Amino acid sequence: MNSPKLISCKHCLTVQSNESPQCDFCELPVRHHSDNNGALQRAWSFLFTAFLLYFPANFLPIMRTTQLGSTTDSTIIGGVILLWSHHSYLIAGIIFVASIFVPFAKFVALFSLCFAQSRILELSAKQKSLIYRATEFVGRWSMVDVFVVAFLTSLVQMGELMTITPGPAALAFAGMVIFTMLTANSLDPRLFWNSSHE
Amino acid sequence: MLIFSISALLCLVISSIFGFVEMSVQGQERQVSLLDTSSRLAQNNDWILATISLLVLIVIPSMFAALLAYLAFSLKMRWANLRSIKLLNAIAFIGFWNMCEIYFLGILVSMVKIASLANVSFGIAFYAYAFFIVFLFAAYMHFDRYQLSLLIKKNISERQHKVASHELA
Ligand SMILES: [Zn+2]
């Protein structure tokens, strides 16, 4: 089958022949396939950075509570266990899914997408698009724990009585989520369909 | 899209005027407004968290709502031109980084977490912010890049047609 080579402009979505570098309609550059390698390399480096941050984010304390002179450090997993023991099952569930399960699942998804685009792993275009959309939708929700720490720190500043300060994991966690979002952002979903036709 | 995004902006204004949440521990009271969340962090020298709070809670969502309102308004007035295509890009980019609803969930979780240690209550601004999120998403639901780019193209061709018929006459 010899179908004409078409591309949709990433700005105005006009479908056109992929020969000219500029869009026929909006005159903005249509991103071409030759960009593929640069984007993929960027995706890989963002993903590795995020993966390195995954460990401090989970094992260092995310929050430090000082109450009447005594200081307690809490990690993410510790926080889930504490909420569970206080019978806040819903909140414990939300934090578990958002902070522990989703980041892990997201790494599995992004690694498989990057492997597939580097032609190490075989995935159909449909599978890739599905994984991509799922990570794009769900990944950002892991920021919730960072926001909890940020908000509690700004609210609970009562001197000797009770003070909350962020721990080193808070920034590692924020960095991890941002770098996974950058990874997803540098993968061009249009390329999923491309490689499957060849 | 126009009505929703303007309602969203109004709610954001309301929520930055009034008190957001209140808490009291052993007679000590404390009220926090929306802007306080990041200024308190800055006072503590948590610059990065302060910046994240400011961007996520206020800067990004307000730009998001304002750009959606501007786009809807220019389509309504038939002003849309090739630059509006770039506006679509900008809105999609901001939409990607917009996380105010997640911060809102984080605030709810925080309140549950400290409910055992202190008395907490929500202010007017809290409810206004909830409505802000609802309106913002209602506006964003109408942000269909394909349909909007068709509308922009229609705007442009209508104007060209008008100019052409004017020249003929
Ligand atoms: Zn175009």
Side-chain angles (χ1 to χ4, degrees), chain A residues 137-160:
Chain A
F137 176 73
V138 103
R140 54 187 56 234
W141 287 94
S142 7
M143 272 305 257
V144 74
D145 238 347
V146 177
F147 296 149
V148 168
V149 173
F151 188 71
L152 282 179
T153 307
S154 65
L155 181 65
V156 188
Q157 293 293 334
M158 304 195 128
E160 292 284 289

Side-chain angles (χ1 to χ4, degrees), chain A residues 9 11-14 16 23 25-28, chain B residues 85:
Chain A
C9 169
H11 307 283
C12 65
L13 307 173
T14 308
Q16 56 204 286
C23 171
F25 176 73
C26 68
E27 294 167 10
L28 290 167
Chain B
I85 300 273

Side-chain angles (χ1 to χ4, degrees), chain A residues 102-174:
Chain A
V102 166
F104 182 74
K106 200 176 172 186
F107 276 119
V108 174
L110 285 174
F111 268 113
S112 54
L113 279 182
C114 281
F115 275 127
Q117 285 312 93
S118 306
R119 289 155 200 275
I120 297 168
L121 187 77
E122 200 69 47
L123 283 176
S124 78
K126 206 170 176 181
Q127 283 169 324
K128 282 189 274 188
S129 306
L130 212 78
I131 295 174
Y132 182 80
R133 261 179 286 163
T135 48
E136 212 184 18
F137 176 73
V138 103
R140 54 187 56 234
W141 287 94
S142 7
M143 272 305 257
V144 74
D145 238 347
V146 177
F147 296 149
V148 168
V149 173
F151 188 71
L152 282 179
T153 307
S154 65
L155 181 65
V156 188
Q157 293 293 334
M158 304 195 128
E160 292 284 289
L161 213 53
M162 186 163 52
T163 303
I164 289 178
T165 47
L171 286 183
F173 206 94

Side-chain angles (χ1 to χ4, degrees), chain B residues 7-146:
Chain B
S7 316
L9 283 170
L10 279 176
C11 286
L12 189 64
V13 171
I14 295 170
S15 66
S16 53
I17 296 172
F18 295 99
F20 199 64
V21 294
E22 242 175 78
M23 77 172 254
S24 62
V25 188
Q26 298 174 7
Q28 263 203 57
E29 268 189 37
R30 192 166 185 82
Q31 201 196 36
V32 171
S33 75
L34 196 59
L35 285 163
D36 283 345
T37 51
S38 56
S39 65
R40 291 252 166 81
L41 287 166
Q43 279 164 22
N44 263 13
N45 293 320
D46 294 318
W47 291 104
I48 299 177
L49 280 183
T51 314
I52 290 178
S53 277
L54 188 69
L55 283 175
V56 171
L57 272 179
I58 297 158
V59 177
I60 292 176
S62 63
M63 273 168 62
F64 192 30
L67 288 182
L68 280 169
Y70 178 74
L71 177 68
F73 189 66
S74 58
L75 280 172
K76 189 152 213 144
M77 303 302 285
R78 299 177 195 285
W79 284 342
N81 52 26
L82 283 178
R83 281 222 310 278
S84 311
I85 300 273
K86 282 186 179 162
L87 189 60
L88 289 185
N89 266 341
I91 293 174
F93 178 78
I94 291 180
F96 181 80
W97 290 104
N98 175 53
M99 291 191 273
C100 61
E101 77 283 8
I102 301 167
Y103 204 119
F104 195 74
L105 177 69
I107 291 171
L108 284 174
V109 172
S110 311
M111 299 300 265
V112 173
K113 272 193 164 180
I114 57 165
S116 59
L117 305 170
N119 282 320
V120 285
S121 60
F122 300 121
I124 296 172
F126 182 83
Y127 299 105
Y129 202 79
F131 276 110
F132 165 68
I133 291 171
V134 172
F135 285 133
L136 186 59
F137 274 81
Y140 191 45
M141 294 267 270
H142 293 272
F143 182 77
D144 176 337
R145 280 185 88 161
Y146 183 68

